[in-house]
Amino acid sequence: MTKGPGRPSTALLAEMGDAEDAAAAFVAAIQAAKRRRFLLAAALDAERLEIEALAQARDALLRRHPYRGS
């Protein structure tokens, strides 16, 4: 595995480089997933706030104009 005293072979260096690249890609994928999760949570929170606002507007309209049924 080594050439000379303590020098790694080029194959070993290539494998180490591949492993580092794979680890970096893995970390990047996890970070991207965390960003997507954060953005999805923010979007869901915005939807919840919009639904609450619509419900309040509906309630205000019903107070002014009660539904009489058919």
Side-chain angles (χ1 to χ4, degrees):
M1 285 204 162
T2 61
K3 287 184 174 183
R7 294 189 58 201
S9 69
T10 54
L12 179 59
L13 289 175
E15 286 181 31
M16 290 171 56
D18 290 345
E20 288 174 354
D21 291 345
F26 182 72
V27 169
I30 289 175
Q31 290 172 339
K34 286 180 179 181
R35 282 190 298 274
R36 280 192 306 274
R37 186 179 67 187
F38 174 78
L39 293 173
L40 285 171
L44 286 172
D45 195 42
E47 289 292 323
R48 182 186 55 80
L49 291 173
E50 184 178 359
I51 290 169
E52 287 178 8
L54 289 170
Q56 290 175 0
R58 178 203 60 208
D59 293 344
L61 284 172
L62 288 174
R63 280 192 297 278
R64 282 189 229 143
H65 306 284
Y67 177 71
R68 294 173 208 236
S70 28

